[in-house]
Every structure is written in structure tokens, then in C-alpha cells.
Amino acid sequence: MTRLRVIQGGPERRKRRLPVDVQSMLAPAAIVVLSLKPVGGPPGDATAEQMDAVADLADKYSFGEIRVGHEQNLALPHVAKRDLPDLWKALDRIGLATPNVNLVSDIIACPGLDYCSLANARSIPIAQELTRRFANHDTANLI
């Protein structure tokens, strides 16, 4: 799933983007990648409520299947293309519709000193600042 195409819709195109696997574009279903990197938030974090909601969405749209990738993101395979707009709205309601998969703000970061006694630096604040700095998708797309 390294090559993604962004499906856009609605009047506010930049806010309504959902990363979908390019190889699934010819198939009746898509693989949707959920970013766990909100602007200014710790990368890879999700609340218990968000995870419960993702599990419910997986049951509804993805045959109950959720995949975790090394990019600290989640993937919902087998999503019918007709369900993409409804899935996006549901993800937006729970704060998991950040359209930054494979952009510079899609940062993979270890917890650093915040959670690891072996670390020698704090990496989460740096990752948070980078997501804020590159939150503008026009700028992020140039990099």
C-alpha cells in the first residue's frame, strides 16, 4: 500500500479527502488508510473511544477487518466504493479523517523521552510541530 490516490469530494475538497489504495481503483472495493497523525497531536495515538468507533466502522464497512501498518496508521480493506463518502463522514466525526497519508506530515515517531527510558530526546513535540507546520496541504504536496 505504498502508492495511494486521494479520493476527493464535496465543496471543500481539501477537507474531504480519503486515502485509497491505487491498486484497488479498478476493483469494486477499496483499501482505506486511516491516519493516526492529527495536526498537532501525538503521532500514532488514538483514544479508546476512537478505537471502539473504528471497530464498529470495520464491522460495517470492512467485514470486521482492520490492519495496522508500520506507518502508525490503520487500514480498512474491502470497503465498497459506494460507501466511501459515508465512511469519510463517520471518520470525520471521530477525528480520524486527517488527509495526510504519505505526506510530509504523516510522521512516524517513537515516543522518545515521553514514554521510553532508553531515549535521549523528546520526539513527540518535534513531530507535533512538523504536522502543524505542514498542515497546509498545498505546501505539504510540494515536498
Side-chain angles (χ1 to χ4, degrees):
M1 282 194 310
T2 55
R3 296 174 46 211
L4 296 177
R5 177 175 171 199
V6 174
I7 304 300
Q8 300 178 355
E12 298 177 5
R13 285 179 33 182
R14 285 188 185 93
K15 291 185 180 177
R16 297 189 65 169
R17 295 162 53 125
L18 195 60
V20 177
D21 181 61
V22 131
Q23 295 173 347
S24 66
M25 295 310 295
L26 299 176
I31 300 170
V32 176
V33 181
L34 312 181
S35 173
L36 294 181
K37 283 92 167 205
V39 173
D45 270 6
T47 66
E49 292 79 17
Q50 286 174 317
M51 293 304 289
D52 284 339
V54 169
D56 292 340
L57 292 172
D59 287 339
K60 183 173 183 177
Y61 296 111
S62 185
F63 300 105
E65 188 172 343
I66 304 168
R67 297 181 187 171
V68 179
H70 71 277
E71 307 93 350
Q72 297 175 333
N73 291 326
L74 302 176
L76 299 178
H78 319 297
V79 177
K81 289 181 184 175
R82 69 179 176 279
D83 292 331
L84 290 175
D86 292 335
L87 176 57
W88 182 87
K89 289 174 191 170
L91 291 169
D92 192 42
R93 282 193 295 274
I94 62 171
L96 292 178
T98 305
N100 66 343
V101 172
N102 284 348
L103 295 179
V104 68
S105 59
D106 186 19
I107 297 167
I108 301 169
C110 75
L113 281 176
D114 294 302
Y115 298 100
C116 178
S117 61
L118 300 175
N120 59 13
R122 293 189 69 217
S123 56
I124 290 176
I126 295 168
Q128 290 172 307
E129 180 56 31
L130 286 170
T131 61
R132 279 193 281 281
R133 181 156 307 177
F134 294 105
N136 178 320
H137 295 292
D138 292 331
T139 304
N141 282 323
L142 294 173
I143 297 174

